[in-house]
Amino acid sequence: MTSPKTPSKLEKILAAGHLAVTSECGPPRGSDIAEVEKKANLIKDHVDAINVTDNQTSVTRLCSLAACIKIKQMGLEPVLQMVTRDRNRIALQSDILGAAAFDICTMLCLSGDHQSFGDCATGQNVYDLDSMQLIQTVRHMRDEGKFLGGADIHRPPQMFVGAAANPFADPYEIRVPRLAKKIAAGAEFIQTQCIYNIDKFEDWIRMARERGLTEKVYILAGVTPLKSAGMAKYMKNRVPGMDVPDEVVQRMADTPKEKQAEEGIKICIETIQRLKEVPGVAGFHIMAIEWEEMVPRIVEESGLYPRPAVD
Amino acid sequence: MIVAKQKPFEEIVDMVKDADKLLIVGCNECVTVCEAGGKKEVGILASALRMYFANQGREVQIDERTLERQCDHEYLEEIRDIADTYDAILSLACGVGVQFMAEKYHSQFVYPGVNTCFLGATEERGVWTERCQACGSCILAVTGGICPVSRCAKRILNGPCGGSTKGKCEINKEVDCAWQLIVDRLKALDRFSDYEKITPLKDWSTDRAGGPRKVVREDVKL
């Protein structure tokens, strides 16, 4: 792929041909920014960039942008997650500029979970834009240096633009065309849904490869360590678009309760090790939900440590 | 058609409880088809209210009328002579009819007897589903005749989102994923390649976002 277009550390790592490692940090349900600092400190030496979720599962939290600014001020690389559920095109552009003002230069464009899952189920959703159109919007602001309204932006945002992909959602036949569509819209990196069904993921990325898509976009494979057999079952049955094969649930269930967390970490490491060898996989996105302290170990035991240095 | 659902009886009672003389007005159009506010429902509601007030030991005169339409001056005029003889009018029309009634008889209390739900169709007897949100700028030509604005919970124009599972929406396993339907239909029409065309940012100014809307046709004005 081409040389970096933005100051994004994630882009530089990927462009240099390293397997990138990102992780995420969910902001607190309160205003104590020290909680963000604490989570970021747990993982900072083991990841290249830290995604900050945007009111994930539609539960109201400290805003992603504020947490990203904190992480940036710690000298780390935040990935601003932005959903189109809660903001119209005025607010989205405004928040992108807000991020750019603090030299936050990596973002992930998402549609977001429906508000009925969260703590404001009776609220409105916005969806002025969808994730595809948000990608187009950021690229337009960056590449043309213009607002959607046509006016020039003084100091346009230098965003490295990412999108999500779920290789497991339905309908399956559009999973690769949908990836192609996101790339056409302007996505430069992809972070995937958590992978438990490795065969299906490999099938998806093979088809992406055959279409030449892995030459056009960096794909970071998403992994989430399972904490318990209960979590495996919950993910399988209750989380939309999640594919947890029976054998994974069974493996967790067959493990004595006190050793299940350990088994979950083991599965996660095995997944990364297998996917490291898959052509088209450009890195890993480790989503250790409220289990950030496990990230260093996963990174180390997967052979992804130390992290490379870039300018 | 406009699909409506009758309000809970207690809510209706609470609105009209102070009236001694009440006129219940049905509408012979959409709310008749969706069995929320036609002549039949006017009759049933009137009986229920009479029984309720009788049990309360109150003498309330409740009269029934059903007009051809409540969204038309012509038909609303039919109650001109009697409207102001009532303490209140309970309209079982959609929100349009209720408002038009209130505009016409502006010194009269006009209450809504139904909740106006959506623009939809009759799936089967007793089941109505949404098909249109009147966004004012129809995109059905590019979505295989299936509307993501009204049928996708996120009204996503380049779907589906990651929550589509086995053809159903993430919000409810009873709800079809509009984008699954669109993909299926594009395939059936041999237009699957159209899926990869990006639908650009929508101009929502013709939707609710643009403020109250108006259609003026000079060519048909009298």
Side-chain angles (χ1 to χ4, degrees):
Chain A
M1 269 169 265
T2 52
S3 53
K5 295 190 193 76
T6 73
S8 165
K9 181 183 172 193
L10 181 61
E11 185 180 16
K12 286 177 189 165
I13 298 245
L14 289 162
H18 302 296
L19 279 174
V21 178
T22 56
S23 185
E24 70 173 25
C25 164
R29 294 265 287 153
S31 64
D32 188 359
I33 199 77
E35 292 182 42
V36 173
E37 209 173 347
K38 191 176 148 206
K39 282 186 177 181
N41 273 325
L42 286 172
I43 58 177
K44 68 181 167 63
D45 297 327
H46 290 79
V47 301
D48 305 317
I50 303 170
N51 281 52
V52 181
T53 49
D54 181 7
N55 297 299
Q56 74 270 30
T57 63
S58 305
V59 173
T60 316
R61 292 168 180 276
L62 186 147
C63 77
S64 177
L65 177 53
C68 281
I69 291 169
K70 180 71 200 175
I71 289 171
K72 185 78 190 178
Q73 288 171 342
M74 291 167 71
L76 308 175
E77 181 80 354
V79 178
L80 176 70
Q81 293 198 185
M82 198 177 267
V83 302
T84 61
R85 178 192 59 224
D86 309 322
R87 304 173 186 83
N88 71 0
R89 61 190 80 179
I90 301 171
L92 290 167
Q93 293 180 93
S94 170
D95 282 0
I96 290 164
L97 291 183
F102 288 89
D103 294 320
I104 291 165
C105 43
T106 313
M107 67 177 280
L108 187 74
C109 303
L110 305 162
S111 56
D113 295 314
H114 192 266
Q115 74 278 6
S116 58
F117 291 100
D119 63 347
C120 290
T122 55
Q124 278 275 16
N125 58 34
V126 180
Y127 292 117
D128 181 14
L129 310 186
D130 60 25
S131 59
M132 203 79 70
Q133 296 162 341
L134 176 59
I135 296 166
Q136 289 182 312
T137 299
V138 193
R139 285 296 302 266
H140 175 79
M141 291 173 75
R142 182 187 91 187
D143 299 343
E144 310 299 324
K146 288 183 187 304
F147 288 101
L148 289 174
D152 289 338
I153 298 173
H154 172 60
R155 194 174 181 268
Q158 292 299 303
M159 287 288 175
F160 182 45
V161 182
N166 184 351
F168 313 107
D170 294 318
Y172 190 60
E173 65 267 41
I174 60 126
R175 294 337 304 179
V176 172
R178 184 158 179 76
L179 174 66
K181 206 169 167 176
K182 287 197 172 176
I183 295 168
E188 297 164 305
F189 74 96
I190 296 289
Q191 289 174 320
T192 77
Q193 175 67 284
C194 326
I195 301 158
Y196 298 104
N197 189 339
I198 303 178
D199 292 340
K200 200 166 179 182
F201 175 80
E202 286 180 341
D203 190 46
W204 174 78
I205 205 160
R206 176 188 53 77
M207 290 190 288
R209 228 168 33 232
E210 285 167 5
R211 272 193 65 166
L213 300 178
T214 53
E215 299 298 312
K216 294 179 183 160
V217 76
Y218 299 107
I219 296 175
L220 275 60
V223 289
T224 291
L226 295 165
K227 269 184 182 168
S228 64
M231 177 179 172
K233 280 180 205 149
Y234 180 84
M235 298 272 257
K236 180 184 176 69
N237 300 321
R238 304 293 297 276
V239 181
M242 190 73 75
D243 183 347
V244 187
D246 290 333
E247 54 268 30
V248 173
V249 177
Q250 199 56 47
R251 181 170 160 187
M252 290 296 288
D254 288 347
T255 307
K257 217 171 178 112
E258 66 282 5
K259 290 187 176 159
Q260 284 177 354
E262 181 63 26
E263 197 66 14
I265 298 286
K266 232 189 261 177
I267 294 172
C268 184
I269 293 165
E270 286 168 20
T271 304
I272 294 175
Q273 280 170 338
R274 179 166 155 192
L275 293 180
K276 272 167 80 177
E277 308 304 323
V278 174
V281 171
F284 295 91
H285 181 47
I286 305 169
M287 296 164 273
I289 304 159
E290 296 302 320
W291 212 16
E292 289 83 1
E293 65 272 23
M294 283 300 153
V295 172
R297 188 183 147 198
I298 294 169
V299 174
E300 285 176 20
E301 294 186 20
S302 304
L304 294 166
Y305 188 80
R307 301 304 313 142
V310 285
D311 301 334
Chain B
M1 68 175 152
I2 294 173
V3 177
K5 195 177 170 191
Q6 208 166 96
K7 281 182 175 288
F9 186 68
E10 300 71 31
E11 191 182 339
I12 293 175
V13 167
D14 196 49
M15 285 187 286
V16 302
K17 61 180 185 295
D18 296 328
D20 292 317
K21 195 177 173 198
L22 174 70
L23 178 64
I24 305 180
V25 189
C27 179
N28 215 8
E29 293 282 350
C30 312
V31 289
T32 296
V33 182
C34 66
E35 304 187 41
K39 191 174 180 187
K40 183 181 79 184
E41 292 75 31
V42 169
I44 295 168
L45 181 61
S47 302
L49 284 170
R50 284 185 199 110
M51 267 175 11
Y52 172 82
F53 286 123
N55 281 338
Q56 301 284 312
R58 279 195 52 206
E59 218 172 282
V60 178
Q61 182 185 332
I62 299 176
D63 294 336
E64 306 168 27
R65 278 294 284 273
T66 294
L67 305 177
E68 194 54 33
R69 276 199 287 284
Q70 291 191 33
C71 54
D72 230 323
H73 288 295
E74 182 188 343
Y75 299 108
L76 280 177
E77 280 300 328
E78 289 176 8
I79 56 167
R80 169 69 61 197
D81 295 342
I82 56 165
D84 61 3
T85 68
Y86 291 91
D87 299 324
I89 296 173
L90 178 65
S91 166
L92 297 195
C94 68
V96 180
V98 175
Q99 290 184 66
F100 225 42
M101 175 84 79
E103 285 168 32
K104 212 158 190 64
Y105 302 109
H106 58 87
S107 58
Q108 191 63 272
F109 280 105
V110 179
Y111 296 112
V114 304
N115 289 319
T116 306
C117 301
F118 50 78
L119 302 181
T122 310
E123 290 270 1
E124 57 184 90
R125 180 83 196 268
V127 179
W128 295 273
T129 51
E130 184 167 17
R131 287 291 184 281
C132 180
Q133 285 190 356
C135 73
S137 175
C138 191
I139 56 163
L140 287 170
V142 296
T143 55
I146 291 147
C147 174
V149 175
S150 57
R151 302 188 66 184
C152 166
K154 301 176 186 172
R155 61 183 194 188
I156 278 176
L157 300 178
N158 295 283
C161 74
S164 179
T165 306
K166 297 187 175 76
K168 300 297 175 186
C169 175
E170 69 178 24
I171 63 159
N172 187 332
K173 285 182 178 152
E174 303 287 304
V175 176
D176 288 328
C177 167
W179 274 96
Q180 173 82 57
L181 300 177
I182 292 168
V183 168
D184 291 347
R185 181 108 170 110
L186 289 176
K187 280 199 296 193
L189 296 169
D190 203 19
R191 294 260 302 273
F192 184 52
S193 56
D194 282 5
Y195 173 76
E196 288 193 33
K197 291 181 186 162
I198 299 171
T199 301
L201 280 67
K202 186 169 167 69
D203 176 355
W204 292 108
S205 66
T206 56
D207 186 63
R208 179 206 62 80
R213 293 167 283 179
K214 189 175 190 175
V215 173
V216 181
R217 284 273 307 277
E218 294 298 340
D219 58 327
V220 294
K221 277 171 88 172
L222 293 175

